[in-house]
């Protein structure tokens, strides 16, 4: 990860804006523990994570989290109730529904989340100070959710997006459907994966300017979205299946509009 950041800074820093360059410099200046934690978080899906699920070989995980928070690399203030519910497990959601006396008509996790959110947004009492009643209900719900949630964290979007951009530049990524380049690089570094020996040469003229890089990124995203949409087009129709020609035409039209 250090090699990736430093290589881009040395030869292609003109592809980054001032804010991104500042983030890179702050990353380079991090101590080992917070840097190691940040790299681990960046290799995961971009979502909120319970702090008590972080099981990495760090000297002091809490101190590393604090340092990353102080320099603005992560956030820990989760305020959206639906987002918070998605972090929890199904048994935890079931307990919350039971404690808040929420009638459940669903059996799947997404169903539990839907019912709890519906409860949070509804006001069953139409007289008196309804705003105060709603605030009181939300406070009690949050108190119950936080009991199971605990402290959470997430890499800030601008930091996550920056390191995705650095990967594109460093690894010359040509498809967002490819495997995780960072993981492959780390496995090779620790001799867990072997590649043939070869002589490599790196040029710094693929993207003459930042605008070209941004257009390239946009093209990669369009390609990924297009391929995802195309996969939804049924190639065959089994016997007895209802004709879905209109759905296919609509999907093809969407693909055409996308491109």
């Amino acid at each position: 990860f250090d090699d990736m950041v430093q290589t881009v800074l040395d030869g292609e820093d003109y592809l980054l804006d001032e804010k991104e360059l500042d983030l890179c410099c702050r990353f380079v200046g991090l101590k080992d523990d917070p840097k190691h934690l940040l790299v681990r978080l960046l290799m995961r899906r971009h979502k909120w994570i319970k702090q008590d699920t972080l099981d990495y070989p760090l000297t002091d995980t809490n101190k590393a989290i604090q340092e990353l928070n102080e320099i603005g690399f992560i956030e820990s203030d989760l305020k959206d109730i639906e987002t918070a519910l998605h972090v929890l497990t199904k048994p935890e959601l079931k307990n919350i529904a039971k404690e808040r006396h929420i009638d459940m008509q669903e059996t799947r996790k997404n169903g539990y989340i839907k019912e709890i959110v519906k409860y949070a947004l509804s006001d069953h009492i139409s007289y008196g100070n309804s705003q105060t009643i709603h605030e009181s209900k939300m406070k009690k719900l949050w108190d119950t959710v936080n009991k199971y949630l605990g402290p959470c964290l997430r890499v800030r979007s601008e930091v996550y997006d920056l390191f995705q951009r650095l990967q594109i530049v460093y690894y010359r990524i040509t498809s967002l459907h490819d495997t995780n380049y960072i993981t492959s690089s780390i496995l090779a570094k620790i001799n867990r994966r072997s590649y043939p020996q070869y002589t490599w040469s790196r040029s710094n003229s693929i993207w003459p300017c930042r605008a070209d890089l941004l257009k390239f990124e946009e093209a990669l995203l369009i390609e990924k979205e297009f391929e995802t949409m195309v996969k939804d087009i049924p190639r065959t129709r089994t016997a007895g299946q209802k004709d879905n020609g209109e759905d296919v035409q609509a999907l093809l039209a969407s693909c055409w509009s996308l491109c």
Side-chain angles (χ1 to χ4, degrees):
F1 228 88
D2 283 322
D3 289 343
M4 177 182 72
V5 175
Q6 198 59 56
T7 299
V8 174
L9 288 178
D10 288 343
E12 295 170 290
D13 59 336
Y14 61 90
L15 297 175
L16 307 177
D17 61 22
E18 291 185 6
K19 186 175 182 180
E20 291 171 335
L21 289 171
D22 177 61
L23 288 173
C24 287
C25 290
R26 278 188 273 169
F27 171 81
V28 172
L30 282 173
K31 297 178 182 177
D32 288 344
D33 268 6
K35 184 179 290 186
H36 179 77
L37 176 58
L38 179 63
V39 171
R40 289 291 191 129
L41 294 174
L42 288 168
M43 291 174 64
R44 300 174 65 155
R45 289 178 56 194
H46 188 219
K47 62 178 183 178
W48 286 93
I49 304 168
K50 286 185 178 183
Q51 288 189 23
D52 60 12
T53 63
L54 300 176
D55 186 19
Y56 301 131
L58 303 176
T59 304
D60 190 335
T61 301
N62 290 331
K63 186 176 180 181
I65 292 173
Q66 182 181 353
E67 290 185 33
L68 291 177
N69 210 345
E70 288 175 351
I71 64 173
F73 274 20
I74 62 173
E75 54 186 329
S76 56
D77 192 12
L78 177 51
K79 294 182 177 180
D80 182 71
I81 188 68
E82 185 171 357
T83 303
L85 294 174
H86 276 283
V87 180
L88 300 172
T89 63
K90 181 181 174 181
E92 289 171 336
L93 294 170
K94 187 175 182 179
N95 288 337
I96 291 172
K98 183 177 180 180
E99 292 180 31
R100 300 312 323 150
H101 307 290
I102 303 173
D103 184 30
M104 282 294 165
Q105 305 296 328
E106 302 280 351
T107 58
R108 297 182 178 181
K109 178 178 177 178
N110 286 339
Y112 276 95
I113 294 173
K114 180 181 177 181
E115 291 295 332
I116 295 174
V117 170
K118 182 179 178 181
Y119 165 83
L121 297 177
S122 64
D123 278 320
H124 301 291
I125 303 175
S126 58
Y127 58 86
N129 193 336
S130 59
Q131 182 176 356
T132 302
I133 294 171
H134 179 72
E135 290 175 353
S136 176
K137 182 178 71 173
M138 285 301 298
K139 182 181 182 304
K140 291 178 181 178
L141 177 58
W142 266 114
D143 288 343
T144 307
V145 170
N146 284 328
K147 183 172 69 173
Y148 294 95
L149 192 65
C152 293
L153 60 84
R154 181 180 67 172
V155 176
R156 290 190 178 276
S157 297
E158 59 268 27
V159 178
Y160 188 86
D161 292 342
L162 167 61
F163 281 91
Q164 299 308 305
R165 177 164 296 153
L166 288 172
Q167 286 192 78
I168 291 175
V169 175
Y170 182 74
Y171 292 108
R172 306 316 201 209
I173 291 175
T174 57
S175 173
L176 296 181
H177 283 288
D178 289 343
T179 56
N180 191 314
Y181 288 86
I182 283 290
T183 300
S184 300
S185 180
I186 291 175
L187 290 174
K189 189 86 171 179
I190 61 177
N191 297 321
R192 295 287 297 275
R193 183 175 293 178
S194 299
Y195 294 97
Q197 295 294 323
Y198 56 87
T199 302
W200 59 272
S201 176
R202 184 180 185 88
S203 65
N204 297 325
S205 58
I206 292 182
W207 299 283
C209 61
R210 176 180 172 84
D212 286 347
L213 173 61
L214 296 181
K215 290 178 181 178
F216 180 75
E217 289 180 8
E218 183 181 5
L220 290 179
L221 290 171
I222 291 175
E223 178 191 47
K224 181 178 180 180
E225 185 176 352
F226 174 78
E227 291 180 358
T228 301
M229 294 172 69
V230 169
K231 287 180 181 179
D232 293 333
I233 299 176
R235 290 172 173 76
T236 58
R237 188 177 64 182
T238 58
Q241 184 178 358
K242 185 178 179 180
D243 188 4
N244 54 3
E246 293 183 359
D247 294 337
V248 173
Q249 289 181 6
L251 191 54
L252 287 172
S254 298
C255 292
W256 177 264
S257 300
L258 178 66
C259 297

